[in-house]
DNA sequence: GCGACAG
DNA sequence: ATCTTGTCGC
């Protein structure tokens, strides 16, 4: 299954992964690798592909995994941590996109979602405040406030890392905006490709 | 059966 | 996710 601990994990390089859409079957996958300390972009890859799998909450990975793996394959710097745009353990079957990516690649991974699938109590208003994300009376992740007064993001473990470390990484990756730089950069690249290459 | 439901 | 202008706020 999934490993939820990370003794001595080093995260010098972190990758942001995201998928953009240009229709029901045209997808754009992006993988951006950052220097975790300076937040400098070390490498970024954009790949186009097609899908026939529809968007079904809970089966998200079947739609986005293929393109993301292709993008990850072409990156020249193997990241120490993968940050997926979606859930990890915070999933109905406890196996969201971040888990698929981690288990498939063997690289530690976490999921950072803009919306929650479980329930949670509002964390404090200050950056760094957090509260448990609950599903079926089980703690599956955390609602984390990355900036004062903004809506929290939902962090959950993907593979080979623990929740505390996952939240710490997200805070480090989001020094200024609500979303971590990894997902922000991956998202803009995704949209750039979508508008410059559409029919 | 009905509603909810990451991107 | 995507379709979309101007607008409010730091």
């Amino acid at each position: 299954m999934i490993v939820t601990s990370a003794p001595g994990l080093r995260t010098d390089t972190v990758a942001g992964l995201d998928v953009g859409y240009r229709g029901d079957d045209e997808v754009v996958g992006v993988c951006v690798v950052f220097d975790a300390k300076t937040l400098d972009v070390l490498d970024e890859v954009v790949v186009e592909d097609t899908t026939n799998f529809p968007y079904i909450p809970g089966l998200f990975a079947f739609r986005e995994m293929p393109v993301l793996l292709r993008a990850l394959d072409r990156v020249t710097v193997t990241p120490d941590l993968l940050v997926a745009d979606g859930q990890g353990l915070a999933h109905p079957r406890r196996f969201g996109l971040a888990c698929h990516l981690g288990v498939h690649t063997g690289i530690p991974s976490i999921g950072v979602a803009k919306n929650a699938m479980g329930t949670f109590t509002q964390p404090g208003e200050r950056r760094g405040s957090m509260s448990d994300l609950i599903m079926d009376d089980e703690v599956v992740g955390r609602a984390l406030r990355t900036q004062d007064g903004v809506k929290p993001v939902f962090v959950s473990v993907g593979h080979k890392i623990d929740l505390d470390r996952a939240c710490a990484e997200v805070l480090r990756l989001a020094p200024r905006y609500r979303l971590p730089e990894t997902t922000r950069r991956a998202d803009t690249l995704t949209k750039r490709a979508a508008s410059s290459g559409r029919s």
Side-chain angles (χ1 to χ4, degrees):
Chain A
M1 262 275 97
I2 285 172
V3 176
T4 60
S5 63
L9 171 64
R10 291 285 308 175
T11 53
D12 298 319
T13 56
V14 185
L17 303 153
D18 190 25
V19 175
Y21 303 87
R22 303 194 288 208
D24 285 329
D25 59 350
E26 287 183 69
V27 295
V28 176
V30 169
C31 180
V32 188
V33 182
F34 283 80
D35 175 301
K37 186 182 179 65
T38 65
L39 293 188
D40 286 328
V41 174
L42 302 178
D43 191 20
E44 43 189 34
V45 170
V46 178
V47 299
E48 300 180 1
D49 203 352
T50 58
T51 309
N52 51 357
F53 206 94
Y55 167 64
I56 301 175
L59 298 184
F60 198 37
F62 292 94
R63 184 169 165 75
E64 302 205 335
M65 275 290 278
V67 216
L68 293 180
L69 290 178
R70 287 185 55 198
L72 195 52
D73 276 339
R74 303 188 185 186
V75 136
T76 61
V77 181
T78 300
D80 297 320
L81 177 70
L82 304 179
V83 179
D85 193 354
Q87 315 289 354
L89 248 183
H91 176 276
R93 245 57 51 173
R94 305 294 183 276
F95 209 79
L97 177 62
C99 298
H100 282 263
L101 284 170
V103 171
H104 197 98
T105 64
I107 300 174
S109 65
I110 65 176
V112 178
K114 296 180 277 304
N115 293 293
M117 282 193 102
T119 59
F120 65 99
T121 55
Q122 212 56 233
E125 288 301 305
R126 313 298 289 180
R127 164 184 159 83
S129 300
M130 50 185 91
S131 58
D132 293 336
L133 215 197
I134 308 296
M135 277 186 83
D136 306 315
D137 301 310
E138 193 178 333
V139 176
V140 296
R142 212 167 273 167
L144 172 65
R145 193 90 67 184
T146 54
Q147 296 300 324
D148 295 355
V150 304
K151 173 183 175 178
V153 295
F154 305 90
V155 182
S156 58
V157 168
H159 188 45
K160 290 185 175 180
I161 193 171
D162 60 79
L163 189 53
D164 284 327
R165 181 60 180 282
C167 289
E169 291 298 335
V170 172
L171 280 178
R172 178 166 67 146
L173 292 169
R176 177 161 187 196
Y177 300 101
R178 180 202 170 214
L179 297 177
E181 290 304 311
T182 39
T183 80
R184 277 171 51 76
R185 179 63 186 168
D187 196 65
T188 70
L189 287 180
T190 239
K191 290 171 179 171
R192 172 193 297 179
S195 59
S196 69
R198 71 188 149 192
S199 299

